[in-house]
Amino acid sequence: MKGTFQTIEGTSDLLSGAQRPLVRIEVWRHVEHVIHTVMHRHGFAEIRTPVLEPTGLVARGIGELTDIVSKEMFTFERGDTSYVLRPELTAPIMRAYLQHHMEQKPGVQRLYYIGPCFRAERPQKGRYRQFHQFGAEIIGTDDPRADAEVIAVMMDIYRTLELTKTQLRINTLGDAETRPRFRKALVKYLTPHREALTKISRERLSRNPLRILDTKVEAERVLLEDAPRLLDYIDEDSRGSYEALKGLLQSLSISFVEDPMLVRGLDYYTQTAFELEHAGIGAQSALAGGGRYDLLAPAIGASHPVPAVGFAAGMERLILALEASELLMPEEHPFDVWMIALGETAGREAFLLLQTLRAAGLRVGMELGYRSMKAQMRLANRASAQQVVILADRELEAELATVKDMGTGEQSMVPLARLADNLIKKLN
Ligand code: AMP
């Protein structure tokens, strides 16, 4: 082996003060904070599930024919059990809902999450092997207000972060009976044009034909203009819910466009489907997607459908979009106090004072090594400290310390006995 280990391709470290292309952890924490705050305001409760799940849950929950399950799962065996690093959280959350009998709790369940997900995709801008999703689910009702509420909380997060240039697209996929009928009609229409399709679409024609509607290939888009339209196959209930959802979004002033070609990659969606895009982040432009998934519960072993709707969004893409919009992001937190020690006795004294000030709630830093005054002052500047305390062996004999106010540049000698109290009073 040559050199040191590196992160696996498609994964990355988060570092304080990091430069692009790495994400600064300060930005990450700011975004997480906004997500928690907005979710809390909308009455969603946080849920954290394990990163490891049974492979069967994901395979059955997402569908064997999807790209995720057929090509992108990180799985491994231990004994006779197969484990998967979760590629998304909707199936795990439905598992948790069923496992903990949350249907017995009063009212609908509003749940939200933030956490890492794993997919063995070809890494590129906006597409990673370890990425992070946040999202929300409302479980236990088929009321279209739940669909509108999930979209509203999602939009509120982007609005709070002042991200503009997003576009919301919505569609309805109909119910469990609609889709097979539409699928048949679509396959019938496309089969004579098989040779004109790309290799991927030819594969999809037999495995997952609805995904062809998603195509970005111009010639295929033209071909699809005359294809059967999903909307013509929709049952009355689905149509009614869709109209209600549109009305609710309009009254909430959430703008959207209807996109009859919008289908979701995942198999368990019924009725509402939506996607949020951003124009400034390149080819991987989807910030978030979601919809209704009443059929997920029976797919993973429940005896009956459980009406549910949710969204899932990518953290990395959100941060890419914030960077592209040049929005001001938080810097590293400044220090209240930076201790400088010149000499070993001063070093011990400074260390004790440091802990006293921290215990009182101040953010205090110091170098652990006896470097020159100049070098330590440079660190104090980098830490943006408000006050710098300088302890030197010589002044300690007189029980004095120097305090420098970095804002005004004023410097004073303070008796050691009063130093901690003075600083705490000034800075707390
Ligand atoms: P999905 O579960 O595929 O609908 O994904 C929901 C959101 O997660 C997408 O809109 C993206 O923002 C994000 N996402 C999905 N896959 C990846 C990935 N491999 N890398 C980064 N973000 C992703």
Side-chain angles (χ1 to χ4, degrees):
M1 197 195 80
K2 238 185 173 174
T4 54
F5 289 105
Q6 306 283 308
T7 44
I8 289 166
E9 205 193 347
T11 71
S12 57
D13 296 319
L14 288 173
L15 307 177
S16 172
Q19 305 277 319
R20 289 189 73 174
L22 291 183
V23 172
R24 277 192 295 128
I25 204 151
E26 288 77 14
V27 172
W28 195 272
R29 288 178 57 162
H30 169 66
V31 171
E32 272 185 343
H33 177 72
V34 167
I35 294 167
H36 287 296
T37 309
V38 174
M39 292 291 190
H40 190 72
R41 194 159 69 213
H42 287 247
F44 285 75
E46 187 177 2
I47 175 166
R48 297 189 191 190
T49 60
V51 163
L52 276 185
E53 290 282 358
T55 304
L57 168 72
V58 171
R60 284 204 256 141
I62 300 182
E64 304 277 357
L65 300 180
T66 56
D67 287 351
I68 295 184
V69 174
S70 59
K71 318 195 263 239
E72 296 168 0
M73 285 198 299
F74 282 108
T75 53
F76 57 94
E77 320 284 323
R78 282 259 149 190
D80 49 13
T81 307
S82 177
Y83 301 87
V84 62
L85 297 178
R86 64 182 186 202
E88 54 94 59
L89 273 99
T90 301
I93 287 174
M94 185 53 87
R95 174 200 51 68
Y97 178 89
L98 297 169
Q99 180 175 340
H100 304 294
H101 304 291
M102 290 190 213
E103 76 282 357
Q104 288 170 11
K105 290 186 169 185
V108 298
Q109 295 302 305
R110 292 180 176 85
L111 302 170
Y112 83 93
Y113 58 84
I114 310 183
C117 297
F118 305 83
R119 294 184 195 174
E121 303 195 83
R122 192 170 56 78
Q124 53 187 284
K125 185 180 173 192
R127 175 166 285 173
Y128 313 101
R129 295 190 149 188
Q130 174 170 344
F131 61 102
H132 297 73
Q133 283 193 341
F134 62 94
E137 323 279 358
I138 300 183
I139 309 180
T141 178
D142 60 5
D143 190 319
R145 283 178 299 173
D147 304 44
E149 190 174 335
V150 154
I151 292 176
V153 70
M154 173 180 88
M155 296 307 290
D156 200 6
I157 290 170
Y158 296 99
R159 187 189 59 82
T160 307
L161 286 163
E162 295 175 37
L163 191 70
T164 52
K165 286 205 246 161
T166 57
Q167 190 192 49
L168 176 67
R169 293 182 298 126
I170 65 168
N171 191 20
T172 178
L173 304 176
D175 65 4
E177 276 94 57
T178 311
R179 279 221 273 175
R181 277 198 293 128
F182 172 67
R183 183 177 296 160
K184 225 164 142 188
L186 185 65
V187 171
K188 194 169 161 210
Y189 170 80
L190 286 174
T191 303
H193 303 285
R194 209 174 177 280
E195 293 314 308
L197 298 177
T198 58
K199 187 164 166 272
I200 291 182
S201 292
R202 281 205 298 273
E203 259 172 50
R204 286 184 172 154
L205 189 59
S206 48
R207 292 164 64 89
N208 200 356
L210 259 58
R211 284 295 308 281
I212 298 175
L213 299 180
D214 245 356
T215 183
K216 305 274 184 284
V217 179
E218 191 49 36
E220 292 187 339
R221 281 179 178 250
V222 173
L223 180 62
L224 286 170
E225 276 170 18
D226 294 327
R229 289 168 5 123
L230 185 53
L231 221 52
D232 296 331
Y233 287 75
I234 300 298
D235 57 291
E236 276 310 302
D237 272 0
S238 301
R239 199 183 292 276
S241 297
Y242 187 53
E243 291 305 319
L245 171 64
K246 285 193 291 180
L248 288 165
L249 293 178
Q250 271 152 3
S251 50
L252 295 177
S253 303
I254 294 176
S255 44
F256 60 87
V257 292
E258 290 182 73
D259 180 356
M261 297 299 190
L262 172 68
V263 284
R264 303 278 302 140
L266 312 184
D267 253 5
Y268 49 67
Y269 285 98
T270 48
Q271 296 194 345
T272 307
F274 56 87
E275 207 157 275
L276 188 71
E277 285 188 322
H278 191 272
I281 54 172
Q284 305 305 320
S285 58
L287 288 178
R292 182 159 276 289
Y293 53 92
D294 301 355
L295 299 179
L296 172 59
I300 60 171
S303 55
H304 48 83
V306 175
V309 58
F311 82 87
M315 278 288 268
E316 285 81 357
R317 290 197 199 164
L318 165 55
I319 289 172
L320 280 175
L322 293 171
E323 283 177 351
S325 314
E326 294 183 358
L327 289 168
L328 224 53
M329 283 291 124
E331 295 299 322
E332 284 172 66
H333 274 292
F335 278 78
D336 297 315
V337 180
W338 194 267
M339 310 287 303
I340 292 180
L342 302 169
E344 276 188 39
T345 314
R348 258 195 314 279
E349 193 65 39
F351 188 71
L352 296 180
L353 189 61
L354 170 95
Q355 302 299 344
T356 307
L357 295 174
R358 284 177 179 170
L362 297 181
R363 177 162 150 87
V364 192
M366 132 181 200
E367 167 69 348
L368 298 177
Y370 297 100
R371 302 174 64 187
S372 70
M373 173 73 184
K374 201 168 145 201
Q376 293 195 56
M377 205 48 164
R378 213 177 295 133
L379 290 174
N381 275 320
R382 285 190 58 169
S384 314
Q386 290 185 44
Q387 306 283 328
V388 174
V389 174
I390 304 157
L391 294 183
D393 283 355
R394 210 165 2 106
E395 287 157 8
L396 273 182
E397 282 170 21
E399 308 250 314
L400 288 172
T402 306
V403 177
K404 182 169 181 189
D405 185 314
M406 300 297 273
T408 61
E410 261 171 52
Q411 206 161 301
S412 53
M413 299 294 284
V414 179
L416 265 191
R418 287 216 306 271
L419 184 58
D421 279 352
N422 274 9
L423 288 166
I424 292 165
K425 222 174 275 156
K426 198 180 288 179
L427 293 164
N428 248 342

